[in-house]
Amino acid sequence: MASMAAFIAVVAPNSLHSISNPLRPQLPARLRRALPPPVPVPVPFAIGKGRSTALRRAASCSLIEPDGGTLVDLVAREGPAREALRRDAARCPQIKLSRIDLEWVHVLSEGWASPLCGFMREAEFLQTLHFNCLRLGDGSIANMSVPIVLAIDDAQKRAIGDRRRIALVDARDKPVAILSDIEIYKHNKEERIARTWGTTAPGLPYVEEAITNAGNWLIGGDLEVIERIKYNDGLDKYRLSPAELREEFSRRNADAVFAFQLRNPVHNGHALLMTDTRRCLLEMGYKNPILLLHPLGGYTKADDVPLHWRMKQHEKVLEDGVLNPETTVVAIFPSPMHYAGPTEVQWHAKSRINAGANFYIVGRDPAGMSHPIEKRDLYDADHGKKVLSMAPGLERLNILPFKVAAYDKKQKKMAFFDPSRHQDFLFISGTKMRTLAKNRENPPDGFMCPGGWDVLVEYYDSVAPQGANKFREAVPA
């Protein structure tokens, strides 16, 4: 499981040239169709061997180019085009979307998966499963490590027949999108699970939620979304699209953007890693590095703290001054969580490039989980950072090792681990943190800001069975 050891992944453009670079990917027609005209983006200095020196010489004020060169936007413009889509949806066969399906529509519509412009057809699905990337029209590749697919059953397949367009509707039968130029192909669930997770063991959360009982067919095609996806849960203000994030970074005059994804409450060990990353970037020559604190907002497993409570806790972290609001952007990443370890962390890194981040902090065992049936972690804790350094389509990504953070009992705060005085450090696991919160016990001073800890205790109080406060759980050592 992820610990407080972390690494900085540096996204470094691999060309010294600018917008006229002939190697820039040229997308096939179907991937270009929904895109606006390309916007010239200067490419900063390359980083390879001796990258610290290069960074000091050439800290760039431009944001990194999205995959494929242009950010995908699949949401219809307000006006006649949107109304025409609504009328068209009423005449098409309809497929009802699950909660996770709708989250993937959200992801696709805003360009997080650029240059992908819809649910995957078979060729894209197979490339993703077997190569973790998509080959574009000019022969270049874009990383794509998790399948973004839509499953249908036999009855839905028969209802569609030979039609080339279908409407996608939400749980209330409200039209959400049109899928056109469709292709239907076999959903080989075992192959998909084995390739994505590296195991077919029972108990994988995403598999049980979204694959096991899904249909035996997949349907791919070009996506046109009628209007922006909203959840009306009080958190939509945090759901900034990649385009909006890029605008915000530009407004703040960011010359570096470093992203930190998490699906847990922020403690002071996380904050230490984030603030120390900014210090390193300043030493490299950047003038205004901006942190993207980017909690995952799609599907998570049942024992994860729900998004509403995590966002409430993150707000307290900023209010208490643990992170600087002037140099931090808090936003929600809409993707569902697979818990697919090294395979999934590629998706997490790739999508943040599309949002404009050129640095990515990745911890031990990113996107990992405990083995569902054995008493061990499902993935090697170091494989995530190693895979990122080798992943196809992420050649611009360089990994810098970071030191382990733990609770320093002498200094009474989170600090980088010093093996010469190992007896002074306490490693507080996620299990121990949760147990303390459930028992309404305080962690050591300096582990988490008081306001953030109060939110965590409040959450566990809210889900505790009546009378459970009479019994305390044993706190792990």
Side-chain angles (χ1 to χ4, degrees):
M1 301 293 283
S3 77
M4 289 173 283
F7 302 83
I8 307 177
V10 184
V11 179
N14 56 9
S15 172
L16 300 181
H17 305 291
S18 62
I19 50 169
S20 61
N21 183 357
L23 295 181
R24 176 174 164 178
Q26 298 298 311
L27 308 185
R30 92 167 195 90
L31 292 178
R32 289 199 308 267
R33 190 163 63 184
L35 307 184
V39 177
V41 181
V43 179
F45 196 87
I47 302 174
K49 293 183 179 179
R51 56 181 169 260
S52 296
T53 302
L55 278 168
R56 289 191 183 98
R57 289 203 308 264
S60 171
C61 294
S62 61
L63 297 177
I64 189 170
E65 206 174 49
D67 273 350
T70 307
L71 196 60
V72 168
D73 179 2
L74 304 180
V75 181
R77 299 294 180 261
E78 191 172 3
R82 182 173 293 176
E83 295 311 312
L85 269 184
R86 284 200 176 99
R87 291 192 297 270
D88 199 6
R91 297 189 291 266
C92 293
Q94 295 186 343
I95 299 295
K96 184 168 290 190
L97 299 170
S98 69
R99 170 193 163 189
I100 289 179
D101 293 334
L102 184 63
E103 290 169 357
W104 283 124
V105 170
H106 186 175
V107 165
L108 290 164
S109 70
E110 295 183 343
W112 295 100
S114 293
L116 194 63
C117 288
F119 284 105
M120 292 177 175
R121 295 183 174 88
E122 187 174 37
E124 295 159 333
F125 175 65
L126 292 176
Q127 288 179 75
T128 298
L129 278 190
H130 294 273
F131 310 131
N132 286 174
C133 63
L134 300 176
R135 187 164 295 281
L136 306 184
D138 67 340
S140 64
I141 61 173
N143 187 271
M144 183 58 68
S145 62
V146 297
I148 301 181
V149 293
L150 180 62
I152 59 173
D153 59 27
D154 292 348
Q156 291 170 320
K157 180 176 181 290
R158 286 193 297 271
I160 293 169
D162 59 359
R163 293 179 177 88
R164 301 299 299 156
R165 290 166 67 82
I166 63 168
L168 307 181
V169 301
D170 65 15
R172 300 185 304 277
D173 294 322
K174 177 183 176 182
V176 171
I178 295 285
L179 198 65
S180 59
D181 295 332
I182 61 174
E183 176 186 338
I184 298 175
Y185 55 100
K186 191 70 176 175
H187 186 189
N188 189 330
K189 297 179 185 180
E190 184 177 27
E191 180 184 23
R192 177 183 173 188
I193 295 165
R195 284 283 178 179
T196 305
W197 282 270
T199 180
T200 56
L204 297 168
Y206 186 95
V207 171
E208 293 191 343
E209 184 73 19
I211 300 179
T212 301
N213 296 317
N216 293 322
W217 304 93
L218 296 175
I219 182 168
D222 298 327
L223 191 67
E224 299 168 278
V225 179
I226 295 172
E227 59 185 349
R228 187 168 181 177
I229 304 299
K230 298 283 187 180
Y231 299 84
N232 301 313
D233 56 358
L235 298 177
D236 284 330
K237 64 182 179 181
Y238 288 110
R239 293 185 174 96
L240 302 181
S241 69
E244 289 171 331
L245 285 169
R246 286 172 172 267
E247 289 175 6
E248 179 63 18
F249 299 144
S250 296
R251 187 188 70 80
R252 297 195 188 203
N253 296 314
D255 57 357
V257 178
F258 58 108
F260 186 72
Q261 173 179 294
L262 68 170
R263 66 176 195 270
N264 294 304
V266 174
H267 55 64
N268 289 352
H270 297 135
L272 175 65
L273 296 171
M274 289 182 268
T275 55
D276 199 68
T277 298
R278 188 169 196 275
R279 179 190 62 78
C280 290
L281 293 175
L282 291 168
E283 289 181 356
M284 288 175 177
Y286 288 96
K287 302 301 182 184
N288 190 29
I290 297 296
L291 165 65
L292 172 59
L293 182 61
H294 215 201
L296 188 135
Y299 162 79
T300 55
K301 54 190 175 69
D303 60 349
D304 282 349
V305 177
L307 178 63
H308 168 76
W309 289 96
R310 285 185 278 131
M311 295 306 296
K312 190 175 179 180
Q313 195 266 351
H314 298 347
E315 289 172 352
K316 290 295 182 182
V317 167
L318 291 176
E319 288 176 15
D320 287 3
V322 177
L323 295 172
N324 183 355
E326 296 299 316
T327 59
T328 304
V329 174
V330 181
I332 292 172
F333 178 45
S335 175
M337 187 75 189
H338 280 66
Y339 305 92
T343 298
E344 186 174 15
V345 75
Q346 297 173 65
W347 160 242
H348 294 166
K350 172 244 173 53
S351 57
R352 276 28 180 264
I353 293 172
N354 285 333
N358 56 333
F359 291 79
Y360 186 75
I361 304 174
V362 56
R364 293 179 72 255
D365 196 18
M369 58 171 284
S370 297
H371 195 285
I373 57 177
E374 300 176 16
K375 291 186 176 181
R376 61 178 179 87
D377 287 343
L378 184 54
Y379 305 106
D380 185 290
D382 292 328
H383 282 183
K385 67 180 178 67
K386 291 179 179 179
V387 165
L388 280 180
S389 71
M390 301 180 288
L394 293 179
E395 289 82 7
R396 298 176 290 169
L397 204 65
N398 295 280
I399 307 299
L400 296 177
F402 225 94
K403 295 177 289 186
V404 177
Y407 185 76
D408 189 325
K409 293 182 286 186
K410 281 194 172 180
Q411 298 186 49
K412 297 188 181 302
K413 66 177 185 179
M414 298 300 291
F416 291 121
F417 178 67
D418 181 356
S420 69
R421 53 184 190 93
H422 60 88
Q423 70 281 357
D424 295 334
F425 286 87
L426 176 66
F427 288 88
I428 301 175
S429 67
T431 300
K432 184 171 184 176
M433 180 182 72
R434 288 189 292 271
T435 305
L436 288 169
K438 289 175 184 177
N439 290 345
R440 300 181 62 85
E441 297 179 41
N442 289 325
D445 290 342
F447 172 73
M448 185 183 290
C449 66
W453 185 256
D454 289 345
V455 170
L456 198 56
V457 171
E458 183 184 356
Y459 162 66
Y460 283 110
D461 276 353
S462 74
V463 296
Q466 190 173 4
N469 59 345
K470 298 178 182 179
F471 305 98
R472 292 177 177 266
E473 292 185 23
V475 178

